[in-house]
Amino acid sequence: MAADSEPESEVFEITDFTTASEWERFISKVEEVLNDWKLIGVSSGKPLEKGVYTTGIWEEKSDEISFADFRFSITHHYLVQEASGKDGKEELVEDALPLSMQDLLCMNNDFPPRAHCLVRWYGLREFVVIAPAANNDAVLSESKCNLLLSSVSIALGNTGCQVTLFVQIHHKWRRMYVGECQGPGVRTDFEMVHLRKVPNQYTHLSGLLDIFKSKIGCPLTPLPPVSIAIRLTYVLQDWQQYFWPQQPPDIDALIGGEVGGLEFGKLPFGACEDPVSELHLAATWPHLTEGIIVDNDVYSDLDPIQAPQWSVRVRKADNLQCLLGDFLTEFFKLCRRKESTDEILGRATFEEDGKEVADITHALSKLTEPAPVPIHKLSVTNMVHSAKKKIRKHRGVDDSPLNNEVLSTIMLFLFPDAADRLTDGSEARPSTSRNNPPPESEEYNLFSQFKSAPSDSLTYKLALCLCMINFYHGGVKGVAHLWQEFVVEMRRRWEKNYLIPELANGSPDLRCCLLHQKLQMLNCCIERKKARDEGKKPYTSDRSPSGSSGDTGKAVDRSGGDYQKETEKERGEVGKSWESWSDSEEEFFECLSDTEELKGNGQENGKKGGTKEGNKESANLKPEGRLHPHGKLTLLHPGEPLYIPVTQEPAPMTEDLLEEQSEVLAKLGTSAEGAHLRARMQSACLLSDMESFKAANPGCCLEDFVRWYSPRDYIEEEVVDEEGNRVLKGELSARMKIPSNMWVEAWETAKPVPARRQRRLFDDTREAEKVLHYLAVQKPADLARHLLPCVIHAAVLKVKEEETLEDIASVKKIIKQIISHSSKVLRFPNPEDKKLEEIIAQIMSAEAIIARARSLKAKFGIEKCDHEEEKEDLERFVNCLLEQPEVSVIGAGRGPAGSIIHKLFLNAQRMTESSDEVATMTSLDEELKRSGSSDERRLNLGAVTDFPPPAGRELILRITVPRPAPYSKPLPQRMYSVITKEDFRLAGAFSADTTFF
């Protein structure tokens, strides 16, 4: 029994060695990702065109894998190419080299200006990178690096993937990669060396060739010549002899004169410093062979003047300060301020109680002034007094954020009619040119897209003034001071009946910002008040829904002068004239009670009877409030001419009032009573017109009113009467015959009251006080929010104006994006700050590009160029520098642009050698015609006197040799080297034959 039990106990101690380890799971995940991305098998592609790495589209896709608890990201980078046709697939050779190995020898895309670092170092069109997922993670130990590289090698062998697979090791800032590529019977190892200090023996071509040959270890003798590509990069930083053409603004200058070289009322533009900090010149020798040139620690043939290819790139100045961008940024900061005007300017500014020392000379005036009233207790009647008190200044001239001269200049700019009033003592009529129909131009109509204000309006000019005051004169305190003076001017214009200039006539334009609507509303109030005080009706209105004219609709005649020149008899029929009623303001604006109104109009018709009886009784009344005869229409029953009455204008409304009204109407609900009440509220204007019509046409009926007011609701048909004659017979439309119709109810309710004795539909006094109070309580932040669309609008117009002078395609594209983005963001109230910052950043980007273009044009002397063809070539070259990361110089150092670049470096070099030579710098022609051999112009280290030592040296060495044995297959070998002042990197790709070794 004991013997039988021993084998059973051993069964439970068996260890299953088939369980996958973490390393095997990691390899499996890598293989799974490669399968998902369809990177398995033979890769095919057409030969690469020149420059496709820069102009083509690069895409990438990523996934996440893990080795135990260490997370890696795996990313596939590839150049998008059109799929090759069937013919290309048939030409595939069974043992063809993988594309990655073919790319190692391709010379069409050496030194791409904008690409992934591995593309620049190895020239690959497609590769996969495995890197630590977290930025602070790194693979540091040699054993872990070898483990990852082994995993990559196994995964490539298992899947048959021919795409190069890299692993990032060490810290990410070092950009260290190792990788491998496998093909049928071949393998390429990608290795890298990165040092902070450059070894002296490897600073030149001969030392690097020694490394390359020793690494290849090819047994062939003699070794085939190595193909070499060299690029030397020279950096120009000294622009002292080329002053930046933009002069800095004179902040101390008066704003009314010249500020920063700009007219008052216009935004500034341009960079305050040179927007181009450096110019990088790359001299390239693309196709050299070992033995043709000499480059060692004693002598060098690499003269940049003799280089066959030149390419240039410019480096932008970091944190470039531009005037327009600074204006916008500082103004936008106002939107985030929380202080009120009281807190910014001090309570003593507004309240007399704050004065510790009282002036005895003002004692009597203080006694007569009203006591301060808390804001929450304000009413319409006392709002004017509290508003006056709130905005009254009590500080000295020295304490004001804005001095009197600056303030006077601004106020005269905003209100040009004030200057005319000062000269002749009478009110100057606002400029009629401002009230002309807006021109149908895209620039002018931008305000409707941005919800700002027309570019010729007072609101627009106010926004520019506040923007300038905020930047040049006192910041938020200056803004608060100017706004306070603006509100005082608005109050004065309301009290003196002076119209506000630079505003379009008519009701508030809902396409504009709310502040612009408020000013238009105030102008409407001033216009009504002025007309009432002068005893004249400003307008006669046509509120016919049908909008028809002539004998079919309510006539519109703004020039009623001919009808006012009636005979005394006709005047007697109309009754009291409009002028006679103007003094009785209370009687005009406050409607009487029903009993008083009946008494005033003859109480004998007080009892409601049938329509005919009512018409007969009302026919005994004297007609009042007639404007002029209609012309063709007559009353149906008496047969007398139909007169168009003097009617009240409908109340203008701003968008916030419309919103309040819609909320009130919505709160009435959907019940029958609520619907009826809502209809009554909306028919106030209709009722007023009916009363005016009854007063002007005694004995009229509803059909008469409908024929004038809404002709479409009166249907006329030809019928044959008893005598056989064709006559027109009319009747009301179907909707007018509906029981409990609003029109019928309103007609029965309406009494014959002329417009002058009706309650005002639009109480201009109350609405004006509401607007003035709204203006007075605005904080600087609220004001900036209201006017920011106007400032953005002005900035866009400024950028468009400046762009037309330069004609830059990229700026045109940015402007279209700004307009599209702003139209979506600004049309809604309270846009997000983040979106506003994006718009401002786009405007700043366009300004920087234009400033950069002007800087380059000044440096390359385009305006001074005499030859037209040469000038066009230089302009094209400058535009390419703005659009492209790197631009080839036509003719290298011997072309027009190359000659100028040569001169720039030459002058910079001579200035560094001796300051005395700056005054004796020779012209470009003399410098280029200097005599002497090339040997006399070289230094020991290979740099010529005309250029500084190269800031960067890049070399690519290529060769195709059998490796590792003489009978192995000839395979591509490549090594890339980059040497800078504090950086040395070697990136090698060495291929080996895995079949014949």
Side-chain angles (χ1 to χ4, degrees):
M1 293 293 291
D4 294 339
S5 62
E6 286 180 2
E8 293 178 3
S9 61
E10 292 177 0
V11 172
F12 297 99
E13 296 177 2
I14 293 176
T15 303
D16 186 5
F17 291 99
T18 61
T19 304
S21 64
E22 293 290 349
W23 181 45
E24 291 170 319
R25 291 194 187 98
F26 177 72
I27 296 172
S28 176
K29 290 175 183 174
V30 174
E31 295 174 5
E32 184 180 341
V33 172
L34 294 177
N35 274 291
D36 290 342
W37 289 345
K38 297 180 175 57
L39 301 180
I40 309 303
V42 180
S43 56
S44 61
K46 58 184 181 181
L48 294 171
E49 299 175 0
K50 189 172 183 63
V52 70
Y53 282 177
T54 304
T55 59
I57 300 173
W58 287 87
E59 291 185 357
E60 62 180 57
K61 43 189 174 184
S62 300
D63 205 342
E64 194 169 288
I65 56 178
S66 58
F67 193 124
D69 58 348
F70 196 94
R71 294 184 301 110
F72 289 93
S73 65
I74 179 168
T75 308
H76 179 209
H77 301 265
Y78 58 97
L79 177 69
V80 178
Q81 288 183 291
E82 296 179 2
S84 56
K86 294 181 180 179
D87 298 337
K89 290 183 179 179
E90 293 173 359
E91 294 175 2
L92 289 176
V93 183
E94 184 179 352
D95 293 334
L97 292 177
L99 278 180
S100 295
M101 293 188 186
Q102 298 177 33
D103 292 343
L104 293 177
L105 297 178
C106 180
M107 306 180 75
N108 287 335
N109 291 281
D110 290 345
F111 315 114
R114 182 188 294 160
H116 192 280
C117 60
L118 290 172
V119 177
R120 188 175 184 87
W121 297 338
Y122 295 113
L124 304 177
R125 74 181 79 181
E126 184 177 23
F127 54 92
V128 177
V129 177
I130 298 177
N135 289 327
N136 53 354
D137 287 341
V139 181
L140 300 176
S141 67
E142 187 177 355
S143 60
K144 289 182 179 178
C145 295
N146 291 334
L147 184 64
L148 286 175
L149 202 55
S150 301
S151 305
V152 166
S153 183
I154 294 172
L156 291 176
N158 291 342
T159 58
C161 175
Q162 294 189 2
V163 177
T164 304
L165 197 56
F166 288 97
V167 175
Q168 185 169 11
I169 58 176
H170 293 285
H171 296 288
K172 290 197 172 183
W173 63 267
R174 297 191 67 180
R175 297 191 296 176
M176 288 281 290
Y177 299 88
V178 292
E180 187 174 314
C181 175
Q182 294 185 9
V186 293
R187 184 184 76 244
T188 300
D189 295 316
F190 294 84
E191 304 170 5
M192 199 167 293
V193 174
H194 180 228
L195 301 176
R196 297 298 298 271
K197 186 178 180 182
V198 186
N200 291 331
Q201 64 270 31
Y202 301 136
T203 56
H204 41 76
L205 174 62
S206 58
L208 294 172
L209 278 172
D210 293 341
I211 296 179
F212 186 54
K213 291 177 180 179
S214 64
K215 181 64 180 178
I216 293 173
C218 180
L220 292 181
T221 53
L223 194 67
V226 178
S227 174
I228 305 170
I230 302 178
R231 167 174 285 208
L232 303 182
T233 301
Y234 300 90
V235 178
L236 177 64
Q237 296 175 313
D238 190 359
W239 304 101
Q240 291 181 8
Q241 69 275 24
Y242 296 96
F243 293 106
W244 171 229
Q246 176 88 22
Q247 294 298 322
D250 182 8
I251 297 178
D252 297 329
L254 267 180
I255 204 167
E258 227 176 83
V259 178
L262 56 102
E263 294 180 17
F264 181 64
K266 293 183 179 180
L267 290 175
F269 192 88
C272 297
E273 56 186 324
D274 196 334
V276 178
S277 62
E278 295 178 355
L279 183 142
H280 293 196
L281 169 65
T284 307
W285 291 262
H287 305 291
L288 293 176
T289 308
E290 180 187 5
I292 291 182
I293 63 167
V294 177
D295 181 39
N296 53 37
D297 56 351
V298 178
Y299 177 84
S300 176
D301 284 328
L302 300 177
D303 183 356
I305 294 293
Q306 306 300 326
Q309 291 181 8
W310 273 20
S311 56
V312 176
R313 67 167 66 199
V314 292
R315 182 178 175 184
K316 310 170 188 176
D318 297 328
N319 302 319
L320 181 64
Q321 182 184 3
C322 291
L323 291 174
L324 181 60
D326 288 350
F327 263 56
L328 290 176
T329 304
E330 291 300 318
F331 191 77
F332 179 65
K333 288 179 182 177
L334 285 180
C335 300
R336 296 174 176 171
R337 301 294 293 258
K338 303 295 183 184
E339 307 95 329
S340 64
T341 307
D342 297 27
E343 294 166 344
I344 292 171
L345 298 178
R347 299 298 298 182
T349 302
F350 305 101
E351 296 184 4
E352 297 176 58
D353 298 340
K355 280 191 173 183
E356 296 179 359
V357 181
D359 189 351
I360 192 65
T361 59
H362 296 142
L364 291 177
S365 61
K366 288 180 180 296
L367 289 174
T368 57
E369 286 178 354
V373 181
I375 291 297
H376 66 278
K377 294 183 179 179
L378 281 176
S379 64
V380 173
T381 55
N382 62 19
M383 190 182 295
V384 57
H385 304 299
S386 61
K388 278 182 180 179
K389 186 169 182 60
K390 183 176 178 61
I391 61 181
R392 185 176 290 112
K393 294 170 54 188
H394 296 290
R395 58 180 177 276
V397 176
D398 297 336
D399 299 331
S400 302
L402 298 178
N403 62 56
N404 288 338
E405 194 169 358
V406 172
L407 188 60
S408 300
T409 304
I410 296 172
M411 297 304 285
L412 282 176
F413 172 73
L414 293 176
F415 305 101
D417 59 329
D420 300 332
R421 227 179 13 249
L422 291 174
T423 55
D424 59 9
S426 60
E427 183 198 1
R429 187 70 183 173
S431 175
T432 54
S433 62
R434 300 290 185 185
N435 298 327
N436 289 339
E440 295 300 326
S441 63
E442 183 182 352
E443 288 79 6
Y444 187 89
N445 292 324
L446 270 181
F447 77 89
S448 61
Q449 298 182 50
F450 288 6
K451 200 170 177 62
S452 57
S455 55
D456 56 356
S457 65
L458 172 65
T459 314
Y460 186 92
K461 291 165 65 175
L462 174 65
L464 296 183
C465 291
L466 289 173
C467 195
M468 261 187 187
I469 290 298
N470 177 58
F471 196 80
Y472 284 127
H473 295 271
V476 68
K477 285 190 175 182
V479 169
H481 186 187
L482 177 58
W483 178 245
Q484 183 192 68
E485 294 295 336
F486 185 86
V487 175
V488 169
E489 177 66 16
M490 292 298 100
R491 164 70 62 184
R492 192 178 67 83
R493 284 178 175 268
W494 160 247
E495 292 176 350
K496 300 290 185 181
N497 289 351
Y498 294 153
L499 289 173
I500 305 172
E502 319 292 344
L503 293 178
N505 288 333
S507 300
D509 190 346
L510 301 182
R511 299 175 299 170
C512 301
C513 64
L514 183 58
L515 186 64
H516 186 78
Q517 297 178 39
K518 292 291 184 182
L519 296 180
Q520 284 185 303
M521 172 68 86
L522 183 59
N523 228 16
C524 291
C525 298
I526 295 173
E527 201 167 0
R528 300 287 180 91
K529 178 171 176 279
K530 181 181 178 182
R532 190 173 70 253
D533 291 348
E534 293 175 356
K536 295 179 181 178
K537 180 72 175 174
Y539 298 114
T540 57
S541 82
D542 180 5
R543 289 193 297 274
S544 174
S546 64
S548 56
S549 59
D551 57 351
T552 59
K554 182 177 177 180
V556 182
D557 191 345
R558 298 286 181 187
S559 59
D562 295 336
Y563 294 99
Q564 290 178 0
K565 296 177 182 178
E566 296 174 334
T567 60
E568 292 299 325
K569 184 177 179 181
E570 288 172 335
R571 284 184 179 271
E573 292 175 359
V574 173
K576 284 187 178 180
S577 66
W578 183 268
E579 290 83 348
S580 65
W581 285 96
S582 62
D583 295 331
S584 181
E585 188 172 331
E586 293 180 0
E587 187 175 358
F588 175 71
F589 292 115
E590 303 298 334
C591 85
L592 305 174
S593 64
D594 290 345
T595 54
E596 290 173 335
E597 188 66 41
L598 288 172
K599 289 177 182 177
N601 289 291
Q603 200 168 1
E604 64 275 4
N605 61 342
K607 293 183 180 181
K608 291 185 178 179
T611 307
K612 292 183 179 179
E613 183 182 351
N615 292 341
K616 189 179 296 183
E617 292 175 350
S618 61
N620 298 326
L621 297 173
K622 290 183 178 180
E624 294 182 276
R626 287 180 171 178
L627 183 62
H628 59 77
H630 184 278
K632 295 184 179 180
L633 292 181
T634 58
L635 300 180
L636 292 177
H637 296 297
E640 296 179 0
L642 187 149
Y643 281 84
I644 293 176
V646 175
T647 57
Q648 294 194 57
E649 281 288 313
M653 302 190 79
T654 56
E655 63 182 23
D656 58 334
L657 296 179
L658 287 171
E659 188 175 349
E660 289 177 12
Q661 186 184 65
S662 62
E663 289 178 0
V664 170
L665 295 176
K667 288 179 181 178
L668 294 176
T670 56
S671 62
E673 184 179 356
H676 183 73
L677 184 57
R678 184 161 45 248
R680 291 290 300 273
M681 290 176 64
Q682 292 174 320
S683 63
C685 185
L686 177 65
L687 181 63
S688 169
D689 289 347
M690 285 183 172
E691 291 183 340
S692 300
F693 189 82
K694 280 188 174 182
N697 297 280
C700 63
C701 60
L702 178 60
E703 286 80 356
D704 294 321
F705 178 77
V706 170
R707 288 162 63 210
W708 163 65
Y709 202 86
S710 180
R712 296 178 182 176
D713 284 308
Y714 189 76
I715 303 170
E716 291 183 328
E717 296 179 349
E718 284 189 357
V719 295
V720 180
D721 59 6
E722 298 176 355
E723 301 177 0
N725 298 324
R726 289 182 172 274
V727 293
L728 286 176
K729 184 179 181 182
E731 59 179 357
L732 295 176
S733 64
R735 78 181 184 111
M736 291 292 179
K737 297 179 180 179
I738 299 175
S740 301
N741 185 298
M742 183 184 68
W743 286 60
V744 176
E745 288 186 358
W747 182 259
E748 293 175 354
T749 307
K751 293 172 283 294
V753 182
R756 63 175 179 270
R757 292 211 307 270
Q758 297 174 7
R759 181 187 296 274
R760 279 185 293 179
L761 294 176
F762 177 61
D763 190 342
D764 51 74
T765 305
R766 182 182 62 183
E767 294 300 328
E769 292 299 339
K770 285 170 65 177
V771 171
L772 290 170
H773 176 65
Y774 178 86
L775 299 179
V777 299
Q778 291 296 299
K779 297 179 180 179
D782 302 329
L783 188 61
R785 289 276 179 187
H786 283 306
L787 295 178
L788 188 60
C790 295
V791 175
I792 292 176
H793 179 190
V796 171
L797 292 183
K798 185 66 177 178
V799 172
K800 292 187 76 170
E801 175 188 342
E802 299 292 335
E803 188 277 330
T804 53
L805 303 176
E806 308 299 334
D807 191 22
I808 306 171
S810 60
V811 177
K812 286 186 172 70
K813 185 177 179 181
I814 293 175
I815 291 174
K816 289 182 180 178
Q817 293 173 350
I818 294 172
I819 294 174
S820 175
H821 192 190
S822 302
S823 301
K824 297 174 183 175
V825 173
L826 299 177
R827 70 176 59 176
F828 298 106
N830 302 320
E832 298 178 12
D833 286 358
K834 185 179 179 181
K835 294 182 178 178
L836 293 173
E837 288 172 352
E838 291 174 357
I839 295 173
I840 294 174
Q842 286 179 308
I843 295 174
M844 293 171 67
S845 172
E847 181 184 20
I849 294 175
I850 295 174
R852 210 171 296 128
R854 291 175 176 171
S855 173
L856 291 172
K857 287 181 178 180
K859 290 174 174 57
F860 281 90
I862 292 179
E863 299 301 328
K864 300 177 182 178
C865 188
D866 298 330
H867 302 288
E868 193 64 30
E869 292 184 4
E870 188 175 323
K871 184 176 181 180
E872 291 178 0
D873 291 341
L874 288 175
E875 285 182 347
R876 197 178 303 113
F877 177 73
V878 168
N879 287 334
C880 290
L881 279 176
L882 298 171
E883 307 281 345
Q884 302 171 14
E886 190 172 280
V887 181
S888 297
V889 180
I890 300 175
R894 294 164 294 280
S899 301
I900 294 174
I901 294 169
H902 182 195
K903 179 188 175 184
L904 293 174
F905 277 96
L906 175 65
N907 289 339
Q909 278 299 101
R910 294 179 68 85
M911 288 183 68
T912 56
E913 291 175 4
S914 172
S915 58
D916 296 337
E917 295 182 10
V918 176
T920 59
M921 276 193 299
T922 57
S923 64
L924 173 62
D925 296 336
E926 293 173 351
E927 293 294 343
L928 294 179
K929 293 177 182 177
R930 284 188 309 162
S931 59
S933 63
S934 60
D935 293 341
E936 295 174 353
R937 298 164 54 205
R938 295 195 181 99
L939 296 175
N940 289 336
L941 295 178
V944 296
T945 57
D946 297 1
F947 290 87
R953 298 170 65 96
E954 295 175 273
L955 290 88
I956 299 176
L957 308 177
R958 300 182 180 90
I959 194 172
T960 303
V961 293
R963 187 173 178 265
Y967 49 81
S968 300
K969 184 176 182 179
L971 296 173
Q973 319 293 329
R974 170 182 169 128
M975 188 178 79
Y976 170 89
S977 169
V978 57
I979 303 171
T980 61
K981 188 176 181 181
E982 296 181 350
D983 193 71
F984 174 72
R985 185 184 300 272
L986 295 177
F990 305 103
S991 307
D993 191 334
T994 58
T995 304
F996 300 100
F997 56 91

